């Protein structure tokens, strides 16, 4: 495991393989498509790609339901394609982080099949089975409904924290752990750059699986990530796997707080290199139902100080499970470009490893879905079904599913203005593209120096060229300001500042601002110089404080 400072220049770009680029014309993105797209990623300045799952899977949850941990899903290509992809990445200085769903398998996995078919199979103990009867405890599945379903003919029930097709593995059983570690080594031996460990913080279940005081998913996660053996399992995984390779261990960590996170990423007690939490993506709401800027800023500070300087924090505002960042936090209707850029600056220039989700660099907004048939996401379909069962009208149930569907993040990437955005040559892509892709596709932005893409490139270049942005301390200078985020990054006597107007109306600057390069301005998302006192909607200014500057502390 690399020491902490090897993480300094890590910046991660997440690819959702199904939606990135279709290399073989079947309407679905694939590994050949990723190879074709590598020059674009390299041009962004990215060296680390996290790929959402590519292992064999029935795709009930788009690969987070694995049926073979050491096979490539034929939908995405072959093992030879995979090896070519790793080699092509190497030429660009890019490493791949694979996504492994290890809390559960697919119900189609031979382990689960053997376990269900034969009561004496050793695999019976690889999952959490209980005899027929009332649900074995009160836990609710994250996707809705009880966390217990029935397998086979005699009422045997099994635990699934997610979809019914995703039975939870029993991590108490050492054979389960050994099998997962073996699969991880298989891929690391092929030269990958590490793993993103799907919901790894819930692998250690409380002994006996007792009822939860509050079985709703939002309470269950925090309870489960305090599982008694989590840290023991992570240390073991480090010993058995990561200690032998030059690769990153990145934990997806719903429910974790900064104090626990600090332990899990402490290099002195190796478990994970990085973990990412969800406190930023679900900030508190204010009295108007809008996201609360002060609470949001507070999350940056509490995680920054909570992780401290031993481990490294992460900055994640978006991924394949969430609506588009510009639609959740920005102003996709009034100030799409400005707010997309402002959010990029926040992610890339705060302290922590930035995660950029595919398409965010183009400012892609949420997609207006109009019919249930346009939706693919199993979670959204479950939401629709449960709403209908509870008596909601078709329209109301559809509205609920369309609002929360993870498909917003999964619409195919638009490469150019041709049919289907150049994503595929097939008659139709697996999921519809955003209907306005013509206004934000990559080719258009490539030649536009004022585009979100150009701004993302400039921000990444800035971060990667200066240790101040990678390692410098983080201080929120106006934590009580309702409109503006102003933070300082300091290293070795130098200081840079980032100011962002988090609103679609002008905001008063809390202090004297530089206007142009002569004042030390490094970057801004407006071409015309602004004023010393006011910020325009979603305006960002980034500057280095010069010695003797009146704005210096
Ligand atoms: C994680 C993944 C999500 C998946 C779930 C179950 O949260 O990001 O896409 O559905 O785990 O594996």
């Amino acid at each position: 495991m690399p020491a902490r400072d090897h993480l300094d220049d890590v910046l991660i770009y997440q690819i959702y393989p199904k939606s990135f680029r279709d290399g073989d014309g079947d309407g679905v993105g694939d590994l050949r498509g990723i190879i074709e797209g590598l020059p674009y990623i390299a041009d962004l300045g990215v060296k680390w790609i996290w790929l959402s799952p590519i292992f064999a899977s029935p795709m009930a949850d788009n690969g987070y339901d694995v049926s073979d941990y050491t096979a490539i899903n034929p939908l995405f290509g072959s093992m030879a394609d995979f090896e070519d992809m790793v080699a092509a990445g190497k030429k660009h200085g890019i490493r791949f982080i694979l996504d492994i769903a290890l809390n559960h398998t697919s119900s189609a996995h031979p382990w689960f099949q053997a376990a269900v078919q034969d009561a004496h199979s050793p695999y019976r103990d690889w999952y959490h089975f209980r005899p027929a009867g009332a649900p074995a405890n009160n836990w609710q599945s994250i996707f809705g409904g009880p966390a217990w379903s029935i397998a086979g003919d005699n009422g045997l029930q099994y635990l699934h924290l997610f979809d019914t097709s995703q039975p939870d593995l029993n991590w108490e059983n050492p054979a389960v752990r050994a099998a997962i570690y073996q699969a991880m080594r298989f891929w690391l031996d092929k030269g990958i750059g590490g793993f993103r460990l799907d919901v790894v913080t819930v692998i250690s279940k409380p002994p006996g699986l007792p009822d939860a005081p509050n079985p709703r998913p939002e309470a269950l996660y925090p309870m489960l990530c305090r599982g008694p053996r989590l840290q023991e399992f992570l240390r073991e995984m480090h010993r058995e796997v990561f200690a032998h390779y030059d690769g990153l261990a990145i934990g997806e960590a719903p429910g974790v707080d900064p104090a626990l996170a600090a332990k899990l990423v402490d290099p002195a007690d190796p478990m994970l290199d990085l973990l990412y939490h969800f406190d930023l993506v679900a900030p508190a709401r204010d009295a108007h139902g809008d996201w609360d800027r002060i609470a949001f800023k507070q999350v940056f500070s509490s995680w920054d100080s909570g992780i401290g300087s031993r481990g490294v924090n992460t900055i994640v505002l978006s991924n394949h499970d969430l609506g588009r960042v510009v639609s959740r936090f920005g102003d996709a209707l009034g100030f799409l470009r400005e707010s997309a850029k402002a959010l990029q600056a926040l992610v890339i220039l705060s302290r922590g490893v930035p995660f950029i989700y595919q398409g965010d660099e183009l400012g892609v907004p949420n997609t207006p879905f109009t019919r249930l048939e346009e939706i693919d996401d199993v979670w959204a379909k479950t939401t629709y079904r449960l709403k209908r069962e509870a008596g909601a009208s078709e329209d109301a149930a559809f509205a609920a599913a369309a609002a929360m569907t993870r498909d917003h993040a999964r619409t195919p990437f638009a490469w150019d203005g041709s049919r289907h955005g150049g994503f595929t040559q097939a008659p139709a892509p697996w999921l519809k593209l955003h209907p306005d892709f013509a206004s934000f596709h990559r080719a258009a932005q490539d030649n536009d120096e004022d585009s979100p893409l150009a701004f993302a490139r400039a921000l990444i270049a800035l971060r990667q060229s200066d240790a101040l942005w990678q390692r410098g301390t983080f201080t929120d200078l106006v934590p009580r300001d309702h409109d503006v985020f102003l933070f300082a990054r300091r290293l070795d006597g130098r200081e840079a500042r980032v100011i962002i107007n988090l609103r679609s109306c002008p905001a008063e600057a809390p202090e004297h601002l530089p206007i142009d390069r002569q004042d030390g301005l490094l970057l801004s998302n407006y071409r015309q110089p602004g004023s010393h006192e006011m910020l325009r909607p979603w305006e960002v200014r980034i500057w280095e404080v010069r010695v003797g500057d009146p704005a210096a502390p």
Side-chain angles (χ1 to χ4, degrees), residues 61 64 104 143 162 196 198-199 252 320-321 406 410:
D61 189 21
Y64 289 94
H104 43 263
F143 289 172
F162 294 89
R196 179 260 192 194
D198 187 63
V199 292
E252 186 200 19
H320 63 290
D321 291 331
R406 298 178 295 176
R410 301 173 181 185

Side-chain angles (χ1 to χ4, degrees), residues 25 67 94 102 110-111 125 161 283 297 314 383 398 508 513:
S67 54
I94 291 177
L102 39 61
W111 301 339
D125 188 50
L161 287 181
K297 294 192 292 178
T314 57
T383 300
F398 172 72
E508 212 166 296
L513 291 173

Side-chain angles (χ1 to χ4, degrees), residues 225-244:
C225 69
R226 276 157 191 81
R229 299 184 70 190
L230 173 65
Q231 297 184 31
E232 177 196 336
F233 293 159
L234 292 177
R235 281 187 198 105
E236 179 184 79
M237 182 188 292
H238 172 76
R239 230 176 22 247
E240 296 293 319
V241 182
F242 291 102
H244 308 283

Side-chain angles (χ1 to χ4, degrees), residues 54-67:
I54 54 170
F55 304 154
S57 162
M59 298 295 273
D61 189 21
N62 281 345
Y64 289 94
D65 47 328
V66 178
S67 54

